[in-house]
Structures are given as C-alpha cells and as structure tokens.
Amino acid sequence: MKTYAEINQKLKQGKAVVLTAEEVTKMAEHASPAEIAEKVDVVTTATFGAMCSSGAIINFGHASPPIRMEKIRLNGVPCYEGLAAVDSYIGATACDPDNPSYGGAHVIQDLLEGKDVILEAWGKGTDCYPRKYIKTSININTINELTLFNPRNAYQNYNVAVNTTTNMIHTYMGTLLPGMRNATYSTSGELSPLLNDPDLRTIGIGTRIFLGGAQGFVVWNGTQFHTTKPKNEFRVPVTNAATIAVIGNLKEMSPEYLQAVYYEKYGVSMFIGIGIPIPILDEEMALRVSISNSQIETSVLDYGTEGMPKLGQVTYHELQSGSIKVKGKKVRTAPVSSLSKARKIATELKEWLQNGRFEITQPVQLFPQNTSLTSLKETEADHD
C-alpha cells in the first residue's frame, strides 16, 4: 500500500513512474496488477467532450455611480443576476434569443481569447446603487474574477445514441439519421477518468485535476450523480452514472481546452478538457486502471422513440472500430468527443507530474455511495 505523501515525494524527486491510462492498459497485457502496483505510481486519465452543465462566475467590478445589476446581458446572452450587485453566473447553454447559435459558451471562449464583450445591465436604482443602466465593454483583464464552475462534468460512461424512426432528429448527441444509419457516442473509453476509478476510491472532494489547460479541483459530486446503475463483470457502469462538479481559475485556462459548440436545432454547449491523475495505491487500483476498451461496455439507446428504449450493449473497442451491430444491423459509429484531444490532455498532465508542476491530492471527503435519481413528476395540468 502506497500513500499519497510517498507518491508526491517521488514526484518531487523526479523518481515517480507516471503512465497514461492507455499506456498502463498496454502494460497490463504482460504484467500482473501486483507488478503494475510495484512499478507505476500515477496514471493519467482524460476526456474532452461537450459538457452542458458548465459556466462561469464573473465579478464585473463597481461603476461610478454604482448599479445593482438586476438584468444582465453579455453580447446579448442573459446571465444570472441574483448573486449580488455586480456578480453573475453565465451558463454555457444560455443563448442570445435573437441569435440562438451564440451562447454563454461563446461568451466564455471570447473572454478567454482576450476579446472585448459588450456588457449591458439594468437595475431599479436604490439609494446605495442609484444607477439604472450601464452599457460598456469588458474583457478578461478588466473584470475582477472569472471562475469556471461546472456543476456536472466528466460522466462515468455515457449511452450510444441511434434513431430507429423514419425521420432525422437533432440531439445533443448530434444529428441522428433515420433507419439507424448512424450511432454516436461520447467519453474516451479506457482514458476516461471515472471509468479508471469506478468505485471512486481516489476521486472526491478536493481532488486536484487538469481543467481547461490549468489546475482545477473537484468540489462536489456532480448533479445527476448515480452510483447504482447496472455494472458489468469488470465493475463498470453500462450507462451514464457518476459525475463531478469542478472549479478553477478561468483566467489561467486555454481556449484549446475550452471550446464553444453549437448543435443544429438543439443549442449551445461547451467542450471541456479534464484530466485526472489516479494514484496507484495498491493492486486493486492497478487492476482498475488497466481496464481496456474491450472490457468497457455501454448501452445503445433509441433516441427517436419515447422513453429511449435500450436496443443493446456494445464495447468501446467496437465503437472505436467504426461500426457496431444493433439488432443484427451494422451501424456506422462516430464520436461526439475528441479522443485525440483526450490523449493530448493525458500526456500533458503526465508531463506536469513528471516535471514537478503538479501533485496528487487525497480527497478530503469521498463521494456518497448507493445514490439514485428521481424523475420530475407533473403534479398539475398544464393550462397554457
């Protein structure tokens, strides 16, 4: 059994062995978990995909005379105004009503790229905040704080989407062709962070992570956190399960790892780059990080039918081969996340660890177990 302190000491001395999740999976083809636990100290994992439940906290600073902002727009995109006089939260999926293809994710990316953004704000006017309206431009250097805070990121597995109907449909999983002519999937398979620690032994509150090209932290379990989904023989959930909430200084991040996206007839989202280092504390962790794409399964759902019925179960090895078989039919596959960018993140995080720029942290609190979700029940008839 290794400790976090021992591993961090080896990292500081430049003596730690750090591998990406793909590298350790390859190593596992000829090495036992005991041998991996002895030789490897940290494994880096990563994902880069659309994560709708994301956004930024912004403090604009006070004008003279000051205003209590009760309605806020950034480049026409509405921001939440109920935090304080000049604090706001802009959600990645918020959009300009007059330009639905431009949203909060684009505002965040514009700020990150150093562009000027038009701020408009309105207030009723008070004795201490007499101004009722302001229109000005802001950028990443003029605002006080710009904090990325994402309530739900890095899903532990996700479904495959197909469409059995005769009509093309547009979804957050991309455009799905009729007659099950394509299948889309997300997550980076054996590189995906929460799939390499399925029991969440090392990922919890306080875990230091790679977030958007900078250092960030896990601050809570993410929304829709679900740990009782069905699992396969390798203890991997076969559908979307656990999630994490994350935070970091957006001013330190890179537009390479935070990118706005618009899905036709669905809306705006944001691609987020996340990398999590997993310490190899013992043989059990060595076994978990050695999981391969052929051992990770996920569910194929029909997004064109009410209730999204399950049509089958496939591995990531099959998905990444370019086609799967569903109900006896060969279906082309395409990812809606970037495996190449995930590999880049895992490699960059590996270099940070090897160069002493990054250390692992023991969670101050682990996530809850045996959690489930409730659905929204309609209790009153809609009279509109």
Side-chain angles (χ1 to χ4, degrees):
M1 181 82 180
K2 300 174 192 172
T3 68
Y4 285 81
E6 289 169 350
I7 294 173
N8 277 327
Q9 185 63 28
K10 291 179 74 174
L11 287 168
K12 289 176 184 176
Q13 295 171 345
K15 296 178 180 179
V17 175
V18 184
L19 298 180
T20 69
E22 287 185 319
E23 290 171 336
V24 80
T25 295
K26 192 169 183 179
M27 182 181 180
E29 293 174 2
H30 54 78
S32 69
E35 291 171 321
I36 292 171
E38 183 181 352
K39 295 176 182 177
V40 181
D41 298 297
V42 185
V43 169
T44 60
T45 64
T47 188
F48 184 78
M51 304 184 193
C52 290
S53 186
S54 301
I57 299 167
I58 308 173
N59 179 275
F60 301 110
H62 285 287
S64 182
I67 179 174
R68 184 177 187 266
M69 297 181 180
E70 296 173 330
K71 177 182 175 182
I72 305 168
R73 297 290 183 269
L74 289 177
N75 280 356
V77 178
C79 306
Y80 182 64
E81 69 289 334
L83 294 179
V86 292
D87 283 332
S88 182
Y89 182 84
I90 183 165
T93 65
C95 69
D96 178 353
D98 297 324
N99 181 17
S101 63
Y102 183 91
H106 296 90
V107 173
I108 292 169
Q109 184 174 339
D110 285 346
L111 288 169
L112 192 54
E113 292 176 347
K115 296 177 182 177
D116 285 339
V117 169
I118 300 301
L119 163 66
E120 274 192 287
W122 296 258
K124 63 178 174 289
T126 68
D127 290 341
C128 47
Y129 295 107
R131 186 190 289 263
K132 295 183 179 181
Y133 175 74
I134 189 170
K135 183 176 182 179
T136 186
S137 66
I138 62 167
N139 60 51
I140 197 168
N141 297 312
T142 65
I143 54 182
N144 291 315
E145 281 84 31
L146 182 61
T147 305
L148 189 72
F149 172 57
N150 303 342
R152 183 176 69 252
N153 279 182
Y155 251 118
Q156 185 183 44
N157 216 339
Y158 210 78
N159 302 308
V160 179
V162 298
N163 170 26
T164 63
T165 71
T166 56
N167 300 313
M168 181 185 297
I169 61 174
H170 302 275
T171 75
Y172 60 83
M173 292 292 284
T175 299
L176 298 176
L177 302 175
M180 212 159 53
R181 285 168 27 215
N182 70 330
T184 58
Y185 65 96
S186 192
T187 88
S188 51
E190 62 193 37
L191 266 176
S192 191
L194 273 60
L195 291 176
N196 280 276
D197 185 4
D199 300 321
L200 303 174
R201 288 183 57 202
T202 68
I203 301 172
I205 299 168
T207 297
R208 180 182 280 105
I209 65 172
F210 175 111
L211 179 60
Q215 175 180 274
F217 293 90
V218 176
V219 291
W220 206 252
N221 49 281
T223 58
Q224 297 180 186
F225 182 86
H226 196 330
T227 59
T228 53
K229 289 288 183 77
K231 297 181 180 182
N232 69 6
E233 61 183 299
F234 302 103
R235 288 176 33 192
V236 173
V238 295
T239 183
N240 48 319
T243 63
I244 53 176
V246 301
I247 198 167
N249 184 355
L250 225 158
K251 290 191 175 188
E252 297 175 350
M253 296 181 190
S254 165
E256 180 178 8
Y257 300 116
L258 289 177
Q259 295 176 7
V261 62
Y262 172 71
Y263 288 102
E264 184 181 359
K265 295 183 181 179
Y266 169 72
V268 175
S269 187
M270 189 161 209
F271 273 65
I272 308 287
I274 291 179
I276 302 183
I278 297 181
I280 308 307
L281 304 174
D282 50 32
E283 287 184 40
E284 174 67 18
M285 289 309 304
L287 177 63
R288 296 300 153 215
V289 297
S290 300
I291 195 161
S292 68
N293 285 326
S294 61
Q295 297 170 322
I296 303 170
E297 296 175 285
T298 189
S299 303
V300 181
L301 302 188
D302 180 6
Y303 273 55
T305 301
E306 186 177 351
M308 295 186 188
K310 181 176 175 178
L311 304 181
Q313 202 160 293
V314 294
T315 69
Y316 275 83
H317 176 73
E318 293 171 302
L319 287 166
Q320 293 181 9
S321 74
S323 67
I324 56 175
K325 277 206 169 182
V326 183
K327 301 290 186 182
K329 179 178 180 177
K330 186 177 180 180
V331 185
R332 291 185 297 117
T333 61
V336 291
S337 60
S338 173
L339 180 58
S340 62
K341 193 64 73 74
R343 284 173 172 152
K344 187 172 183 179
I345 292 168
T347 300
E348 191 166 334
L349 179 55
K350 174 182 173 179
E351 292 168 355
W352 286 4
L353 287 156
Q354 290 173 326
N355 297 336
R357 287 184 55 196
F358 203 92
E359 65 178 22
I360 58 170
T361 50
Q362 184 170 359
V364 296
Q365 181 174 303
L366 295 177
F367 291 141
Q369 299 295 314
N370 301 315
T371 63
S372 59
L373 299 179
T374 58
S375 57
L376 181 64
K377 299 292 191 293
E378 188 176 352
T379 56
E380 294 184 19
D382 186 352
H383 299 295
D384 293 338

